[in-house]
Amino acid sequence: MNSDRDHAETMPLRVAVQEEGGEVLDNEADLSEPAARGRKKAVVLSVVAVLLVTGVGAGLLWAGGGGDTPEPEAGPKIRQVAVVKTDMSGVREMEGTLGYDSVRAIRGAGEGVVTWLPKQGATVTRGKQLYRVDERPTVVFYGSTPLYRRLDTPGSVGRDIRVVADNLKAAGYDIGQQPAVGTVVQQRAPVDQQTSADAGTSTATGADRETAEPGSGPPPSAQGDDAGQETGAGQPAEDRTGAGQSPTPVRQAKVKEGDGVLTESLMAAIKRWQKSVDIEPTGVLESSDVVVTRSAVRVSEVSAQTGDAAANDLLSVTATTKSVRIPVETLDLGTIKAGQTVTVMLPDGTETGGEVATIGTTIKADQEGESGAGVSKINVTVSVDDAEAVKGIDAAPVQVRFEGEAKKGVLAVPVGALLALREGGYAVRLAEGRAAEGRSAGGRLVPVDTGMFARGLVEISGEDIAEGMKVEATA
């Protein structure tokens, strides 16, 4: 190729030139001219792509001209801005869904026919029936361990028994004394496997006398008499003195933290409770007699009908509290902390306070855009401070405002004022004179440290940075 063609195809670039003295100067001459290359010791060319997505700015290099070669318009126009002192806050708004907490499907246990179901929207509290199978009610108990077995063996130990003991005690029944942690208890044979002779020798126990007591619920007088007449109340029968008063122990178990023990007193309390809820008072608790929930539940959906087989999904329940679930991109999680206060903006335009309750651990990939690129997200749950503010809303899309970090009296410039340096870091260019025709006026570069980014501004600091000084920024 000839030199004229080379000259015509050369794109003039704005460059930073290092003199021997160390000062950075601007040179907008066409680098294709040999004379220009000869006058300088070293030339550094930097072309920096800038992507402003989340408010993070990067530097720009603008095209310059040289000689008489026509210049195509390139790069954004330049304007002068002042460094300002201001308050900054990392406010972010995200979309979420308001709804009831802890959705759970309830499946019937065992055989039978569904004979009663609650209405959708009903609230069921401790001790109230959730549904009926063959006219036998299934009742709500509060706790964290479900009943996973038939409780029919005196001396049995476990966390499920603790749930039964705690709920009966909360309902006002006298359950007697529970063995302390570390106690070794003796288990007996299940009630329905004990011989008639065993049953005959134990007629003096409070548990058997209880079957003849009239009435329902936990009468105080009956509880007191029962507790007083039972020798060694709260202890397994095999620990009592006297020949022939208890069946032969079948195994031993040690009481651990959080365990309950199926004592004679507790079985007597179970009988009294069974009478109050129209269950045959046997003192034996079936796993299908109780649904364990953490608190009161709301019936969100009824999926069965009376007459259906019980061993199916019958209904769905939720907690009575509401929260907001927000799918957050994993890259944004660093700014969200558990316990952080937020503002929930409701569909009617009102606002209520909230708090980040939990941050999930399961990452899900959502498909977004025409390219189908996966975006990793994690669910963040926000609790609502004022239940009355969302009382009439079962489910709705909402906006959640995260206030984030706040700083007062910091120096800031628009993000378009940042220039990315070749050696790393950022700088701003001082505005010397007026920028003409959208081109830099050639001011000095001043290195800066960046801080918070918010609403198009970036916090900057440095030895030569002061309030009011003029710098260049993209228009």
Side-chain angles (χ1 to χ4, degrees):
M1 297 183 182
N2 56 43
S3 59
D4 292 337
R5 182 176 180 182
D6 290 342
H7 180 78
E9 292 181 353
T10 300
M11 175 64 70
L13 296 175
R14 184 175 187 176
V15 301
V17 180
Q18 184 73 37
E19 293 281 12
E20 290 184 347
E23 183 179 2
V24 178
L25 301 176
D26 285 335
N27 178 17
E28 296 185 358
D30 191 333
L31 294 180
S32 64
E33 298 179 15
R37 290 196 301 269
R39 288 194 300 269
K40 305 301 176 183
K41 294 288 185 180
V43 177
V44 180
L45 302 181
S46 299
V47 179
V48 181
V50 179
L51 181 62
L52 300 179
V53 175
T54 59
V56 178
L60 296 174
L61 297 179
W62 296 280
D68 297 328
T69 304
E71 299 179 23
E73 184 176 351
K77 291 186 177 181
I78 307 304
R79 62 191 175 102
Q80 295 183 6
V81 296
V83 176
V84 297
K85 180 175 288 188
T86 184
D87 298 339
M88 296 183 68
S89 177
V91 177
R92 301 187 62 189
E93 291 185 3
M94 299 184 184
E95 294 183 355
T97 302
L98 174 68
Y100 285 95
D101 296 327
S102 307
V103 180
R104 173 185 172 187
I106 302 296
R107 173 180 283 267
E111 299 178 353
V113 174
V114 178
T115 54
W116 181 85
L117 290 164
K119 294 182 179 180
Q120 182 175 339
T123 298
V124 185
T125 57
R126 188 205 316 259
K128 302 300 182 182
Q129 65 178 353
L130 187 59
Y131 61 90
R132 298 176 74 97
V133 174
D134 295 342
E135 285 301 280
R136 185 183 180 100
T138 294
V139 178
V140 168
F141 276 5
Y142 295 169
S144 57
T145 303
L147 266 64
Y148 57 89
R149 55 180 169 171
R150 188 172 191 252
L151 299 183
D152 61 352
T153 304
S156 296
V157 177
R159 292 184 300 164
D160 54 339
I161 299 173
R162 170 59 64 183
V163 169
V164 175
D166 288 347
N167 278 268
L168 292 183
K169 185 176 181 180
Y173 292 88
D174 181 7
I175 65 171
Q177 183 179 358
Q178 283 282 295
V181 174
T183 302
V184 176
V185 297
Q186 306 290 333
Q187 291 186 4
R188 305 205 317 257
V191 171
D192 55 6
Q193 296 180 19
Q194 295 176 15
T195 64
S196 58
D198 293 332
T201 59
S202 61
T203 54
T205 66
D208 291 318
R209 282 197 313 275
E210 187 63 26
T211 60
E213 292 184 7
S216 61
S221 60
Q223 294 177 35
D225 293 343
D226 182 53
Q229 293 173 6
E230 183 177 354
T231 304
Q235 300 296 330
E238 59 272 18
D239 294 336
R240 304 175 200 162
T241 59
Q245 289 190 357
S246 63
T248 303
V250 296
R251 58 171 295 188
Q252 293 181 337
K254 187 175 183 179
V255 181
K256 300 186 295 293
E257 187 71 33
D259 282 344
V261 179
L262 192 60
T263 62
E264 296 284 348
S265 295
L266 180 55
M267 295 185 76
I270 291 174
K271 284 185 178 182
R272 294 192 295 272
W273 171 78
Q274 285 173 325
K275 288 181 181 180
S276 71
V277 294
D278 295 331
I279 297 177
E280 183 183 356
T282 62
V284 174
L285 204 58
E286 304 289 346
S287 61
S288 58
D289 288 340
V290 170
V291 170
V292 179
T293 65
R294 293 191 176 274
S295 59
V297 294
R298 174 184 177 274
V299 179
S300 59
E301 181 182 1
V302 178
S303 51
Q305 298 179 2
T306 55
D308 287 351
N312 293 308
D313 288 341
L314 305 181
L315 47 89
S316 295
V317 298
T318 66
T320 57
T321 56
K322 297 173 186 175
S323 63
V324 180
R325 292 181 61 188
I326 310 162
V328 179
E329 293 187 22
T330 54
L331 294 177
D332 294 333
L333 281 177
T335 61
I336 299 176
K337 307 295 181 184
Q340 179 179 350
T341 58
V342 301
T343 302
V344 180
M345 292 163 283
L346 302 175
D348 62 359
T350 61
E351 297 182 351
T352 186
E355 180 179 295
V356 176
T358 59
I359 298 175
T361 57
T362 302
I363 300 176
K364 297 181 179 180
D366 289 349
Q367 298 297 319
E368 292 190 352
E370 297 179 358
S371 63
V375 178
S376 297
K377 295 185 177 182
I378 289 180
N379 280 328
V380 172
T381 303
V382 170
S383 61
V384 179
D385 294 342
D386 184 6
E388 289 297 319
V390 296
K391 185 176 181 179
I393 306 174
D394 287 347
V398 295
Q399 294 285 329
V400 180
R401 184 166 63 241
F402 294 81
E403 298 298 338
E405 183 184 9
K407 292 186 176 182
K408 293 184 176 294
V410 298
L411 298 178
V413 293
V415 292
L418 288 183
L419 299 172
L421 298 176
R422 180 179 182 275
E423 62 273 19
Y426 295 98
V428 293
R429 185 180 295 282
L430 299 183
E432 297 181 356
R434 297 183 60 184
E437 298 180 359
R439 290 164 48 186
S440 170
R444 179 170 60 93
L445 288 176
V446 179
V448 295
D449 294 323
T450 59
M452 177 182 292
F453 291 83
R455 299 186 177 183
L457 295 178
V458 56
E459 175 191 359
I460 61 172
S461 60
E463 294 182 359
D464 298 329
I465 300 300
E467 181 183 7
M469 66 187 304
K470 299 289 188 179
V471 299
E472 296 181 357
T474 55

